[in-house]
């Protein structure tokens, strides 16, 4: 059995490693268009911000280690003429055949069409070489003012790290609130205040109309004002890396991501796909969603490998859980937002409360905020968001578990036996308070 995998990211290398553990006699070949595999892309903003210096720490395993386990890797692969019917393709002008194919081509940065963008040197942050170049520039005394286009996870994490190394940072965001698809207004406002309190200049409900190269500077013309900067980073989100597959027999979603079933199978026999190039099912809305997260990619990798090796395995979907650190605070979310619930015509009840993260007689007590969303038709919790100290935010794992298990809010759940100790919480935690308010 010969397995060919397109893409050496989290999904591709996860599938390869799992298959070789299960079926040592299977031939596994990974084709990677770049010159490395197994990059931990989530660490890139922190590498740029000098949180660590050893670039090897960004890579989970070396190619040599994969080779030792029997996995062949071809770097700098130019892949063309994929023939799904005859199970063959051209790779660097050489024909390669397969028994089963895994598409794990990942995602790339979405670059908006902005007048003058092609005339300036701009940067993105999706690959190692992006981070290496940004790190070099950011550590230069010539770079003082940085403009980031987009206030998503990458934009905010990079902004924090640039502030920490002494840069002046501005963020331009098209929406009127931060990450409106992920957070409701109450949480977005807390994020906004955090960024501004840490000297990040925000231009919300705004966009760059034109970039102009001005000697050694770059001028960005917004809706009603101009910003002069030394460095521009485009962080406007991601798009699935499927351009070469658009006119193929593969079934794609509206954003050209690959549609797969719960077993990682595409609509073509013996062709699987997973990770950032795919859409997956949201278990609450039952609709496809695009969720390019490492946690999803690694879980899909295991499912795909199991099914290729005749171990029936199912990917159960997503609640799009995420957590992000912003300076000394953390923000977490899972499930649907209030806005998303309304768009899906769900009959909901919401609570938003502020409390303290631990007992008052110990130093360092801080505010913590939580928003919960419940479907009133069945009393099932379907969404949650939390903002607080970066240590106290970890209690959100409990909320994500309740949402994942489609937990019905009852008196018993209100009394959930959470651990208590004065340095960590109050006897009646903010989670208890929020659950009790849903029952009123």
């Amino acid at each position: 059995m010969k397995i060919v995998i397109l893409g050496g990211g989290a999904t591709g290398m996860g599938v390869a490693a799992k298959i070789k553990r299960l079926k040592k006699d299977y031939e596994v070949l990974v084709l990677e268009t770049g010159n490395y595999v197994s990059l931990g892309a989530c660490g890139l903003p922190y590498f740029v911000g000098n949180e660590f210096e050893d670039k090897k720490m960004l890579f989970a395993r070396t190619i040599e280690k994969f080779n030792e386990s029997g996995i062949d890797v071809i770097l700098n692969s130019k892949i063309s003429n994929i023939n799904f019917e005859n199970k063959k393709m051209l790779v660097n002008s050489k024909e390669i055949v397969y028994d089963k194919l895994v598409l794990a081509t990942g995602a790339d940065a979405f670059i908006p069409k902005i007048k003058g963008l092609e005339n300036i040197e701009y940067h993105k942050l999706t690959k190692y070489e992006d981070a290496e170049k940004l790190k070099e520039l950011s550590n230069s005394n010539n770079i003082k003012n940085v403009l980031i286009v987009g206030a998503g996870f990458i934009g905010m994490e990079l902004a924090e790290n640039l502030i920490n190394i002494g840069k002046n940072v501005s963020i331009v965001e098209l929406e009127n609130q931060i990450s409106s698809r992920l957070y409701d207004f109450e949480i977005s406002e807390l994020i906004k205040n955090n960024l501004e309190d840490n000297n990040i200049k925000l231009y919300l409900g705004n966009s760059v109309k034109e970039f102009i190269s001005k000697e050694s500077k770059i001028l960005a013309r917004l809706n009603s004002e101009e910003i002069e900067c030394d460095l521009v980073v485009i962080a406007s989100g991601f798009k699935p890396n499927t351009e070469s597959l658009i006119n193929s027999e593969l079934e794609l979603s509206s954003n050209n991501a690959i549609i797969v079933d719960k077993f990682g199978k595409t609509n073509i026999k013996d062709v699987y796909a997973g990770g950032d190039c795919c859409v997956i099912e949201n278990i609450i809305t039952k609709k496809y969603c695009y969720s390019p997260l490492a946690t999803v990619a690694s879980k899909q990798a295991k499912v795909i490998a199991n099914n290729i090796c005749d171990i029936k395995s199912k990917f159960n979907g997503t609640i799009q859980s995420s957590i992000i650190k912003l300076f000394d605070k953390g923000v977490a979310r899972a499930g649907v937002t209030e806005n998303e619930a309304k768009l899906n015509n769900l009959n909901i009840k919401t609570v938003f409360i502020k409390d303290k993260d631990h007992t008052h007689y110990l130093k360092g007590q801080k505010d913590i905020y939580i928003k919960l969303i419940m479907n009133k038709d069945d009393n099932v919790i379907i969404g949650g968001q939390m903002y607080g100290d970066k240590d106290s935010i970890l209690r959100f794992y409990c909320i994500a578990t309740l949402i994942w298990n489609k937990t019905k809010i009852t008196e018993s759940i209100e009394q959930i036996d959470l651990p208590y100790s004065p340095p960590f919480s109050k006897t009646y935690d903010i989670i208890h308070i929020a659950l009790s308010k849903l029952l009123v």
Side-chain angles (χ1 to χ4, degrees), residues 10-240:
T11 303
M13 300 316 297
V15 170
K18 180 71 172 175
I19 288 175
K20 289 304 290 187
R21 288 196 296 271
L22 294 172
K23 299 283 187 178
K24 295 188 183 299
D25 59 323
Y26 279 16
E27 183 181 353
V28 178
L29 173 63
V30 177
L31 305 175
E32 167 56 43
T33 57
N35 58 7
Y36 53 80
V37 297
S38 206
L39 172 70
C42 297
L44 295 179
Y46 303 97
F47 178 65
V48 173
N50 299 331
E51 289 291 326
F52 60 97
E53 295 296 334
D54 186 359
K55 66 181 182 181
K56 293 179 181 178
M57 298 179 72
L58 285 165
F59 299 92
R61 290 175 70 185
T62 64
I63 291 177
E64 289 74 21
K65 288 294 182 182
F66 284 113
N67 290 159
E68 287 174 10
S69 64
I71 298 167
D72 292 323
V73 179
I74 300 178
L75 299 177
N76 303 308
S77 298
K78 185 178 180 181
I79 303 160
S80 60
N81 298 333
I82 301 177
N83 188 322
F84 294 115
E85 183 177 355
N86 296 318
K87 297 186 175 182
K88 61 183 181 181
M89 68 188 78
L90 287 180
V91 180
N92 299 335
S93 301
K94 177 183 177 182
E95 185 175 274
I96 288 181
V97 298
Y98 63 86
D99 295 303
K100 295 187 185 294
L101 176 66
V102 179
L103 303 174
T105 51
D108 202 352
F110 171 75
I111 307 297
K113 293 181 180 179
I114 303 174
K115 184 179 179 181
L117 185 61
E118 70 280 5
N119 298 323
I120 67 166
E121 182 182 5
Y122 68 90
H123 303 269
K124 55 183 181 175
L125 189 58
T126 58
K127 303 180 185 301
Y128 168 69
E129 50 267 35
D130 299 333
E132 190 173 42
K133 183 64 176 177
L134 268 178
K135 185 180 179 73
E136 177 188 345
L137 290 170
S138 299
N139 282 277
S140 166
N141 291 329
N142 295 325
I143 303 296
K144 294 182 175 61
N145 302 304
V146 181
L147 173 63
I148 299 174
V149 179
F153 287 169
I154 294 294
M156 289 191 290
E157 288 176 334
L158 180 60
E160 175 189 351
N161 278 280
L162 291 175
I163 286 287
N164 289 341
I165 59 174
K167 305 303 174 182
N168 302 316
V169 180
S170 299
I171 298 179
V172 177
E173 168 57 43
L174 187 62
E175 300 292 333
N176 288 315
Q177 67 181 66
I178 302 286
S179 298
S180 59
R181 294 182 183 179
L182 296 177
Y183 310 108
D184 286 316
F185 178 77
E186 302 96 325
I187 301 297
S188 287
E189 277 295 287
L190 291 167
I191 297 172
K192 172 180 174 290
N193 294 338
N194 179 319
L195 297 176
E196 290 180 334
D197 288 345
N198 284 284
N199 300 314
I200 295 173
K201 178 69 174 176
L202 296 177
Y203 297 87
L204 301 181
N206 220 316
S207 63
V208 180
K209 300 302 181 183
E210 183 180 8
F211 282 112
I212 300 172
S213 181
K214 186 181 177 183
E215 298 177 353
S216 61
K217 304 288 184 181
I218 298 171
L219 187 68
R221 286 184 173 166
L222 308 188
N223 294 348
S224 58
E225 54 190 300
E226 296 180 347
I227 302 174
E228 190 175 83
C229 57
D230 305 303
L231 179 69
V232 171
V233 181
I234 304 296
S236 300
F238 295 93
K239 62 176 182 177

Side-chain angles (χ1 to χ4, degrees), residues 282-350:
N282 182 303
I283 69 171
I284 296 168
T285 65
K286 300 299 181 183
K287 295 178 180 178
Y288 285 119
C289 65
Y290 186 56
S291 191
L293 298 170
T295 49
V296 170
S298 59
K299 292 166 190 170
Q300 283 186 300
K302 180 179 179 180
V303 169
I304 292 169
N306 282 344
N307 287 311
I308 287 175
C309 296
D310 299 320
I311 300 171
K312 192 170 183 180
S313 185
K314 181 173 71 173
F315 179 72
N316 288 287
T318 182
I319 55 173
Q320 295 184 280
S321 296
S322 65
I323 190 167
I324 180 174
K325 184 184 84 70
L326 295 174
F327 299 95
D328 63 338
K329 302 298 182 184
V331 192
R333 59 91 61 204
V336 296
T337 62
E338 180 178 352
N339 291 334
E340 189 177 7
K342 289 176 178 177
L343 288 172
N344 283 275
N345 298 312
L346 297 174
N347 181 23
I348 60 171
K349 179 176 182 178
T350 70

Side-chain angles (χ1 to χ4, degrees), residues 350-419:
T350 70
V351 296
F352 175 68
I353 58 175
K354 168 187 172 182
D355 200 53
K356 299 295 183 180
D357 61 355
H358 65 258
T359 309
H360 67 281
Y361 47 74
L362 290 182
K363 293 179 181 179
Q365 188 188 56
K366 296 176 182 176
D367 292 335
I368 187 168
Y369 302 79
I370 189 170
K371 180 169 184 175
L372 296 183
I373 303 161
M374 181 183 75
N375 188 332
K376 289 169 65 176
D377 292 340
D378 53 13
N379 274 26
V380 169
I381 183 170
I382 58 173
Q385 298 157 55
M386 185 178 284
Y387 177 95
D389 181 80
K390 69 182 180 68
D391 294 323
S392 62
I393 197 74
L394 295 178
R395 59 177 26 88
F396 188 80
Y397 286 5
C398 167
I399 298 298
T401 303
L402 294 177
I403 297 170
W404 177 257
N405 284 330
K406 299 180 180 178
T407 306
K408 182 172 290 191
I409 305 304
T410 63
E411 183 181 45
S412 173
I413 291 299
E414 179 196 353
Q415 297 173 13
I416 186 170
D417 195 6
L418 300 175

